[in-house]
Amino acid sequence: MRKWNISSAACVGTVFAWLCSVAVAGDTIPTVDISSESDRHSFVARGTTEVYQGHPCTVLLPDGKTMFCAWSINHAGFLGPLSRSDDGGKTWSQPLAVPGNWRQVTKTTPTLHRLVDPEGVARLFVFGGCDFPGRLRQAYSEDNGKTWTPMRDTGLAAECAPKTVMAFDDGKRLVMWCDRRGPFAANQPHADPYIWQTESLDGGLTWSPEQPILKTESRWGQPAVIRSPDGNQLLMLLRNEESHSLFSVSDDDGKTWAPVRPLPATLTGHRHKMLYAPDGRLVVVMRNKDAESQSHGHFVAWVGTYDDILAGRDGQYRIKLLHSHARWDCGYSGFELLPDGTFVATTYIKYKPGPEKHSVVTTRFKITETDHKLEDAKKLVQ
């Protein structure tokens, strides 16, 4: 595949400096860099010299503008902060009042979900999985986030809380996926890692015992699941510490999964989160772990198609969303699509050099904007 080189473009001058990482040697697909466009950014919580803001997740309500963000204090630290935005992530409230026992969920990377029970009652859930041999805990709100229950044990063992909870059977059945080292009676550090799934028939209030469904290759799988465009298949992306990230598919609504296969380097990352753009392309945000990439260690989005993944193709291009001044330590994102086609990606990141620790930051983009930047760059280097 063609290697992109912008040495000819660099001489055009500083007017085109923003293009300088659109296409660089070492990447098999171009990268559009919007990380320095600070007008796209908003802060959920700023890091200080004493406080490290980490590992966020978001949820968007059906009104298309109300969002919540949950995160941890310190790197995979204790759960507690929760903030609300009423304008699609442009501005954020001060941390909201939550029950005190949330802070007892330690060594966690929280996730947020809006789950609807078979009677049509919607609840907002915050999940927090403690480090092994910890348990997965959850709390919920029945009034759109005004008040929250204390955290309680789900009966499930998990390290990282689920990024994906999906509805089946006209919403009567919810399924979540998590990773856990096996065997499934007692965790042993040397045991093979598995992905497990569990289901709820009451809108997430209770969950069935976890069932191992897929053997993976490293301790952290951190599964992200999405339906194919035609709705007939499920795709799971998986973190892999050993080599390229992995994927699996299911053709029977998650009853069985194919053995894992490697993703291309362009999709090798940590804690993937996926959404479809308005035009049907697939956009995946992650911490970039492609060692040959110029955006290695930064917060990026991959743009391609569902079929690109199945066929092992590299995809169309990357977007460098935010620059990490702590090298690899970012990701674990929230990812939402607003009604006007704006993606809102939220991560924890060391936003600038200096003594300040990590902040929780959002960045906004439309795929049409990055498409235009890519086309402009191609014209420039021709």
Side-chain angles (χ1 to χ4, degrees):
M1 183 172 291
R2 177 184 173 185
K3 299 286 186 179
W4 293 76
N5 192 307
I6 62 161
S7 58
S8 60
C11 65
V12 176
T14 57
V15 173
F16 300 105
W18 61 273
L19 291 170
C20 285
S21 65
V22 167
V24 290
D27 287 278
T28 58
I29 57 175
T31 296
V32 174
D33 188 351
I34 62 172
S35 62
S36 64
E37 299 177 14
S38 58
D39 58 330
R40 299 180 180 275
H41 306 162
S42 66
F43 286 81
V44 181
R46 290 181 183 268
T48 70
T49 55
E50 293 81 26
V51 180
Y52 177 117
Q53 316 278 3
H55 299 86
C57 189
T58 60
V59 66
L60 176 68
L61 271 55
D63 64 9
K65 60 182 182 180
T66 304
M67 292 174 60
F68 285 87
C69 181
W71 68 100
S72 63
I73 298 296
N74 296 324
H75 184 92
F78 66 81
L79 177 63
L82 182 73
S83 186
R84 173 183 171 130
S85 172
D86 295 319
D87 53 14
K90 293 179 181 178
T91 61
W92 292 88
S93 71
Q94 292 297 310
L96 304 174
V98 297
N101 82 336
W102 285 29
R103 290 173 62 98
Q104 297 171 17
V105 183
T106 57
K107 298 182 181 179
T108 192
T109 58
T111 61
L112 267 166
H113 296 275
R114 181 179 182 272
L115 305 179
V116 182
D117 71 16
E119 306 303 318
V121 176
R123 299 176 181 88
L124 300 180
F125 282 81
V126 175
F127 292 92
C130 281
D131 209 348
F132 286 114
R135 309 292 290 181
L136 182 66
R137 293 165 172 82
Q138 68 180 38
Y140 63 86
S141 171
E142 293 185 317
D143 53 13
N144 284 328
K146 295 177 182 177
T147 60
W148 294 83
T149 68
M151 285 280 165
R152 68 167 183 83
D153 188 14
T154 63
L156 306 169
E159 184 169 19
C160 292
K163 273 294 186 185
T164 306
V165 181
M166 190 173 288
F168 295 85
D169 303 333
D170 297 322
K172 296 177 182 177
R173 180 169 61 98
L174 301 176
V175 176
M176 75 160 72
W177 295 267
C178 282
D179 51 5
R180 178 187 175 197
R181 289 169 290 172
F184 285 81
N187 278 296
Q188 301 294 327
H190 62 274
D192 291 331
Y194 283 86
I195 304 301
W196 60 252
Q197 68 185 34
T198 178
E199 67 177 41
S200 173
L201 302 180
D202 57 10
L205 297 176
T206 61
W207 297 90
S208 66
E210 66 261 29
Q211 298 295 322
I213 49 105
L214 183 64
K215 183 178 178 181
T216 185
E217 295 183 4
S218 68
R219 171 181 175 179
W220 291 294
Q222 299 173 347
V225 181
I226 200 168
R227 278 200 177 275
S228 59
D230 64 10
N232 294 328
Q233 190 176 67
L234 300 179
L235 168 69
M236 179 185 292
L237 302 190
L238 295 163
R239 174 175 174 172
N240 180 23
E241 296 298 290
E242 308 304 323
S243 183
H244 287 200
S245 294
L246 306 169
F247 78 97
S248 177
V249 294
S250 172
D251 295 316
D252 54 13
D253 276 349
K255 295 181 179 67
T256 60
W257 291 84
V260 295
R261 295 164 53 192
L263 289 163
T266 54
L267 270 163
T268 290
H270 291 172
R271 204 57 155 160
H272 305 86
K273 192 76 183 287
M274 300 179 279
L275 289 172
Y276 287 106
D279 64 6
R281 280 177 293 173
L282 188 61
V283 183
V284 183
V285 295
M286 59 188 168
R287 174 198 298 164
N288 184 9
K289 293 300 290 182
D290 176 3
E292 301 300 317
S293 170
Q294 296 294 315
S295 58
H296 174 254
H298 301 294
F299 186 47
V300 304
W302 174 93
V303 181
T305 67
Y306 187 92
D307 289 340
D308 284 339
I309 294 178
L310 298 189
R313 297 191 291 261
D314 286 338
Q316 186 181 3
Y317 64 95
R318 283 194 188 101
I319 309 167
K320 184 180 177 184
L321 297 173
L322 288 167
H323 184 92
S324 171
H325 290 275
R327 301 180 66 185
W328 61 272
D329 196 11
C330 62
Y332 287 69
S333 59
F335 195 34
E336 312 297 342
L337 180 62
L338 304 184
D340 68 352
T342 298
F343 286 106
V344 181
T346 307
T347 189
Y348 75 110
I349 201 160
K350 184 167 174 53
Y351 187 74
K352 61 182 180 180
E356 294 81 8
K357 299 182 180 183
H358 281 58
S359 298
V360 175
V361 184
T362 72
T363 187
R364 311 165 67 82
F365 65 97
K366 291 183 178 181
I367 204 70
T368 51
E369 297 171 340
T370 53
D371 284 348
H372 289 154
K373 288 179 180 290
L374 179 65
E375 291 306 311
D376 288 345
K378 286 180 179 179
K379 292 175 184 176
L380 187 62
V381 299
Q382 288 175 351

